[in-house]
Short mmCIF file of all heavy atoms in Angstrom, two decimals:
data_model
loop_
_atom_site.label_atom_id
_atom_site.label_comp_id
_atom_site.label_asym_id
_atom_site.label_seq_id
_atom_site.Cartn_x
_atom_site.Cartn_y
_atom_site.Cartn_z
N GLU A 129 4.62 3.64 -13.13
CA GLU A 129 5.67 2.90 -12.45
C GLU A 129 5.51 3.02 -10.94
O GLU A 129 5.77 2.07 -10.20
CB GLU A 129 7.04 3.45 -12.88
CG GLU A 129 8.21 2.70 -12.29
CD GLU A 129 9.54 3.16 -12.88
OE1 GLU A 129 9.76 2.98 -14.09
OE2 GLU A 129 10.35 3.70 -12.11
N ILE A 339 22.77 13.06 -18.75
CA ILE A 339 21.91 11.88 -18.87
C ILE A 339 22.07 10.98 -17.65
O ILE A 339 21.09 10.42 -17.14
CB ILE A 339 22.20 11.12 -20.18
CG1 ILE A 339 21.74 11.98 -21.36
CG2 ILE A 339 21.52 9.76 -20.20
CD1 ILE A 339 21.98 11.36 -22.72
N ARG A 340 23.29 10.86 -17.16
CA ARG A 340 23.49 10.06 -15.94
C ARG A 340 22.77 10.69 -14.75
O ARG A 340 22.26 9.98 -13.88
CB ARG A 340 24.99 9.91 -15.64
CG ARG A 340 25.76 9.08 -16.65
CD ARG A 340 25.20 7.69 -16.80
NE ARG A 340 26.03 6.84 -17.65
CZ ARG A 340 25.64 5.69 -18.18
NH1 ARG A 340 24.40 5.24 -17.94
NH2 ARG A 340 26.44 4.97 -18.93
N GLN A 342 19.93 12.36 -14.96
CA GLN A 342 18.53 11.97 -15.13
C GLN A 342 18.31 10.54 -14.65
O GLN A 342 17.32 10.23 -13.99
CB GLN A 342 18.12 12.11 -16.60
CG GLN A 342 18.05 13.54 -17.09
CD GLN A 342 17.46 13.66 -18.48
OE1 GLN A 342 16.63 12.83 -18.88
NE2 GLN A 342 17.86 14.67 -19.23
N GLN A 343 19.26 9.67 -14.97
CA GLN A 343 19.16 8.27 -14.56
C GLN A 343 19.18 8.15 -13.04
O GLN A 343 18.43 7.37 -12.45
CB GLN A 343 20.32 7.49 -15.18
CG GLN A 343 20.10 6.01 -15.31
CD GLN A 343 21.19 5.34 -16.13
OE1 GLN A 343 22.03 6.00 -16.75
NE2 GLN A 343 21.19 4.02 -16.12
N LEU A 344 20.03 8.94 -12.39
CA LEU A 344 20.08 8.92 -10.93
C LEU A 344 18.76 9.40 -10.33
O LEU A 344 18.24 8.80 -9.38
CB LEU A 344 21.23 9.81 -10.44
CG LEU A 344 22.64 9.26 -10.61
CD1 LEU A 344 23.68 10.34 -10.33
CD2 LEU A 344 22.87 8.07 -9.68
N LEU A 345 18.19 10.46 -10.88
CA LEU A 345 16.92 10.97 -10.37
C LEU A 345 15.80 9.94 -10.52
O LEU A 345 14.99 9.74 -9.61
CB LEU A 345 16.55 12.25 -11.11
CG LEU A 345 17.39 13.50 -10.78
CD1 LEU A 345 17.11 14.62 -11.79
CD2 LEU A 345 17.12 13.98 -9.36
N ILE A 346 15.75 9.27 -11.66
CA ILE A 346 14.72 8.26 -11.90
C ILE A 346 14.85 7.12 -10.90
O ILE A 346 13.85 6.66 -10.32
CB ILE A 346 14.81 7.73 -13.34
CG1 ILE A 346 14.34 8.81 -14.33
CG2 ILE A 346 13.99 6.46 -13.52
CD1 ILE A 346 14.65 8.50 -15.78
N ASN A 347 16.06 6.68 -10.65
CA ASN A 347 16.25 5.56 -9.74
C ASN A 347 16.12 5.96 -8.28
O ASN A 347 15.74 5.13 -7.44
CB ASN A 347 17.60 4.89 -10.02
CG ASN A 347 17.56 4.04 -11.27
OD1 ASN A 347 17.15 2.89 -11.24
ND2 ASN A 347 17.97 4.62 -12.40
N ARG A 350 12.63 5.37 -7.62
CA ARG A 350 12.30 3.95 -7.44
C ARG A 350 12.61 3.46 -6.04
O ARG A 350 11.95 2.54 -5.53
CB ARG A 350 13.06 3.11 -8.47
CG ARG A 350 12.54 3.30 -9.89
CD ARG A 350 13.35 2.53 -10.91
NE ARG A 350 12.79 2.77 -12.25
CZ ARG A 350 13.50 2.86 -13.36
NH1 ARG A 350 14.82 2.72 -13.32
NH2 ARG A 350 12.91 3.09 -14.52
N PRO A 368 17.91 -5.42 -14.67
CA PRO A 368 18.97 -4.94 -15.58
C PRO A 368 20.37 -5.36 -15.16
O PRO A 368 21.30 -5.31 -15.97
CB PRO A 368 18.82 -3.41 -15.52
CG PRO A 368 17.45 -3.16 -14.99
CD PRO A 368 17.18 -4.29 -14.06
N MET A 397 8.19 -6.59 -12.53
CA MET A 397 8.62 -6.19 -11.19
C MET A 397 7.51 -6.51 -10.20
O MET A 397 6.36 -6.10 -10.40
CB MET A 397 8.92 -4.70 -11.15
CG MET A 397 10.07 -4.27 -12.06
SD MET A 397 10.20 -2.46 -12.16
CE MET A 397 8.95 -2.10 -13.40
N TYR A 545 13.81 -3.27 -10.64
CA TYR A 545 14.35 -2.73 -11.89
C TYR A 545 15.09 -1.44 -11.57
O TYR A 545 14.50 -0.37 -11.51
CB TYR A 545 13.22 -2.47 -12.90
CG TYR A 545 13.68 -2.16 -14.31
CD1 TYR A 545 13.77 -3.16 -15.26
CD2 TYR A 545 14.03 -0.86 -14.69
CE1 TYR A 545 14.19 -2.89 -16.56
CE2 TYR A 545 14.45 -0.58 -15.98
CZ TYR A 545 14.53 -1.59 -16.91
OH TYR A 545 14.94 -1.32 -18.20
N TYR A 546 16.39 -1.58 -11.33
CA TYR A 546 17.25 -0.43 -11.07
C TYR A 546 18.34 -0.37 -12.13
O TYR A 546 19.06 -1.34 -12.34
CB TYR A 546 17.90 -0.52 -9.69
CG TYR A 546 16.93 -0.29 -8.56
CD1 TYR A 546 16.31 -1.36 -7.92
CD2 TYR A 546 16.62 1.00 -8.17
CE1 TYR A 546 15.40 -1.14 -6.90
CE2 TYR A 546 15.71 1.23 -7.13
CZ TYR A 546 15.11 0.15 -6.51
OH TYR A 546 14.20 0.38 -5.51
N THR A 547 18.44 0.78 -12.78
CA THR A 547 19.53 0.97 -13.74
C THR A 547 20.64 1.82 -13.14
O THR A 547 21.64 2.09 -13.80
CB THR A 547 19.01 1.64 -15.02
OG1 THR A 547 18.40 2.90 -14.68
CG2 THR A 547 17.99 0.75 -15.73
N ALA A 548 20.47 2.24 -11.90
CA ALA A 548 21.52 2.91 -11.14
C ALA A 548 21.33 2.53 -9.68
O ALA A 548 20.23 2.62 -9.15
CB ALA A 548 21.44 4.43 -11.31
N PHE A 558 25.80 1.43 -13.03
CA PHE A 558 24.80 1.73 -14.03
C PHE A 558 24.56 0.49 -14.87
O PHE A 558 25.48 -0.32 -15.09
CB PHE A 558 25.26 2.87 -14.95
CG PHE A 558 25.28 4.22 -14.30
CD1 PHE A 558 26.49 4.80 -13.93
CD2 PHE A 558 24.10 4.91 -14.05
CE1 PHE A 558 26.52 6.05 -13.33
CE2 PHE A 558 24.12 6.15 -13.45
CZ PHE A 558 25.33 6.73 -13.09
N ALA A 559 23.32 0.32 -15.34
CA ALA A 559 22.98 -0.82 -16.20
C ALA A 559 22.15 -0.33 -17.37
O ALA A 559 21.53 0.74 -17.32
CB ALA A 559 22.20 -1.87 -15.40
N GLU A 560 22.15 -1.11 -18.41
CA GLU A 560 21.38 -0.78 -19.61
C GLU A 560 19.88 -0.81 -19.29
O GLU A 560 19.40 -1.69 -18.58
CB GLU A 560 21.69 -1.78 -20.72
CG GLU A 560 20.97 -1.51 -22.02
CD GLU A 560 21.23 -2.58 -23.07
OE1 GLU A 560 22.08 -3.47 -22.82
OE2 GLU A 560 20.58 -2.55 -24.13
N ASP A 561 19.17 0.13 -19.84
CA ASP A 561 17.71 0.22 -19.67
C ASP A 561 17.06 -0.76 -20.65
O ASP A 561 16.50 -0.36 -21.67
CB ASP A 561 17.26 1.66 -19.94
CG ASP A 561 15.76 1.86 -19.79
OD1 ASP A 561 15.12 1.08 -19.06
OD2 ASP A 561 15.23 2.80 -20.43
N ILE A 562 17.12 -2.06 -20.33
CA ILE A 562 16.79 -3.10 -21.32
C ILE A 562 15.32 -3.09 -21.75
O ILE A 562 15.00 -3.53 -22.86
CB ILE A 562 17.18 -4.51 -20.82
CG1 ILE A 562 16.47 -4.83 -19.50
CG2 ILE A 562 18.68 -4.62 -20.67
CD1 ILE A 562 16.70 -6.27 -19.04
N TYR A 563 14.42 -2.59 -20.91
CA TYR A 563 13.00 -2.58 -21.25
C TYR A 563 12.48 -1.17 -21.58
O TYR A 563 11.28 -1.00 -21.81
CB TYR A 563 12.16 -3.16 -20.11
CG TYR A 563 12.42 -4.61 -19.80
CD1 TYR A 563 12.15 -5.13 -18.53
CD2 TYR A 563 12.95 -5.49 -20.75
CE1 TYR A 563 12.39 -6.46 -18.23
CE2 TYR A 563 13.20 -6.81 -20.45
CZ TYR A 563 12.92 -7.30 -19.18
OH TYR A 563 13.15 -8.62 -18.89
N GLY A 564 13.36 -0.18 -21.54
CA GLY A 564 12.94 1.17 -21.87
C GLY A 564 12.15 1.88 -20.78
O GLY A 564 11.52 2.91 -21.05
N HIS A 565 12.20 1.37 -19.55
CA HIS A 565 11.45 2.01 -18.46
C HIS A 565 12.02 3.39 -18.14
O HIS A 565 11.27 4.33 -17.84
CB HIS A 565 11.49 1.14 -17.20
CG HIS A 565 10.76 -0.15 -17.33
ND1 HIS A 565 9.71 -0.34 -18.20
CD2 HIS A 565 10.91 -1.36 -16.69
CE1 HIS A 565 9.25 -1.56 -18.10
NE2 HIS A 565 9.96 -2.21 -17.19
N ASP A 566 13.35 3.53 -18.18
CA ASP A 566 13.96 4.83 -17.91
C ASP A 566 13.52 5.85 -18.95
O ASP A 566 13.18 7.00 -18.63
CB ASP A 566 15.49 4.73 -17.95
CG ASP A 566 16.08 4.12 -16.70
OD1 ASP A 566 15.30 3.63 -15.85
OD2 ASP A 566 17.31 4.11 -16.57
N LYS A 567 13.54 5.43 -20.20
CA LYS A 567 13.18 6.34 -21.30
C LYS A 567 11.74 6.82 -21.15
O LYS A 567 11.43 8.00 -21.35
CB LYS A 567 13.38 5.65 -22.65
CG LYS A 567 13.18 6.55 -23.84
CD LYS A 567 13.52 5.84 -25.13
CE LYS A 567 13.36 6.78 -26.32
NZ LYS A 567 13.68 6.10 -27.62
N LEU A 568 10.85 5.90 -20.79
CA LEU A 568 9.44 6.26 -20.60
C LEU A 568 9.30 7.23 -19.44
O LEU A 568 8.59 8.25 -19.56
CB LEU A 568 8.62 5.00 -20.34
CG LEU A 568 7.11 5.21 -20.11
CD1 LEU A 568 6.46 5.80 -21.35
CD2 LEU A 568 6.44 3.89 -19.73
N GLN A 569 9.97 6.97 -18.33
CA GLN A 569 9.90 7.86 -17.17
C GLN A 569 10.47 9.23 -17.49
O GLN A 569 9.89 10.26 -17.12
CB GLN A 569 10.66 7.25 -15.99
CG GLN A 569 9.87 6.26 -15.19
CD GLN A 569 8.68 6.90 -14.51
OE1 GLN A 569 7.55 6.81 -14.97
NE2 GLN A 569 8.92 7.57 -13.41
N ALA A 570 11.62 9.26 -18.16
CA ALA A 570 12.26 10.53 -18.48
C ALA A 570 11.34 11.41 -19.31
O ALA A 570 11.24 12.62 -19.09
CB ALA A 570 13.58 10.29 -19.21
N GLY A 571 10.64 10.80 -20.27
CA GLY A 571 9.73 11.55 -21.12
C GLY A 571 8.55 12.13 -20.36
O GLY A 571 7.96 13.13 -20.78
N LYS A 572 8.21 11.53 -19.23
CA LYS A 572 7.07 11.99 -18.44
C LYS A 572 7.45 13.03 -17.39
O LYS A 572 6.60 13.81 -16.95
CB LYS A 572 6.41 10.79 -17.73
CG LYS A 572 5.64 9.85 -18.66
CD LYS A 572 5.04 8.70 -17.87
CE LYS A 572 4.19 7.80 -18.75
NZ LYS A 572 3.00 8.49 -19.28
N ILE A 573 8.72 13.04 -16.96
CA ILE A 573 9.07 13.91 -15.84
C ILE A 573 10.08 15.00 -16.17
O ILE A 573 10.23 15.95 -15.39
CB ILE A 573 9.57 13.10 -14.62
CG1 ILE A 573 10.86 12.33 -14.95
CG2 ILE A 573 8.50 12.16 -14.14
CD1 ILE A 573 11.38 11.54 -13.77
N PHE A 574 10.78 14.90 -17.31
CA PHE A 574 11.78 15.90 -17.64
C PHE A 574 11.41 16.69 -18.89
O PHE A 574 10.95 16.10 -19.88
CB PHE A 574 13.16 15.26 -17.85
CG PHE A 574 13.67 14.49 -16.68
CD1 PHE A 574 14.18 13.20 -16.83
CD2 PHE A 574 13.66 15.04 -15.40
CE1 PHE A 574 14.66 12.48 -15.75
CE2 PHE A 574 14.13 14.32 -14.31
CZ PHE A 574 14.63 13.05 -14.48
N ALA A 577 14.28 15.55 -21.57
CA ALA A 577 14.51 14.11 -21.45
C ALA A 577 15.51 13.61 -22.48
O ALA A 577 15.56 14.11 -23.61
CB ALA A 577 13.19 13.36 -21.61
N PHE A 578 16.30 12.61 -22.07
CA PHE A 578 17.27 12.02 -23.02
C PHE A 578 16.56 11.19 -24.07
O PHE A 578 15.45 10.75 -23.90
CB PHE A 578 18.30 11.17 -22.27
CG PHE A 578 17.74 10.09 -21.39
CD1 PHE A 578 17.28 8.89 -21.92
CD2 PHE A 578 17.68 10.26 -20.01
CE1 PHE A 578 16.79 7.88 -21.09
CE2 PHE A 578 17.20 9.25 -19.17
CZ PHE A 578 16.75 8.07 -19.72
#
Side-chain angles (χ1 to χ4, degrees):
E129 183 173 296
I339 291 180
R340 293 302 187 196
Q342 291 188 29
Q343 203 171 350
L344 285 169
L345 289 168
I346 289 168
N347 284 276
R350 289 176 181 145
M397 297 171 278
Y545 191 95
Y546 288 95
T547 58
F558 289 105
E560 181 184 353
D561 180 25
I562 58 173
Y563 296 156
H565 293 334
D566 283 7
K567 187 175 182 180
L568 180 63
Q569 276 296 100
K572 288 180 177 295
I573 63 179
F574 302 132
F578 54 79

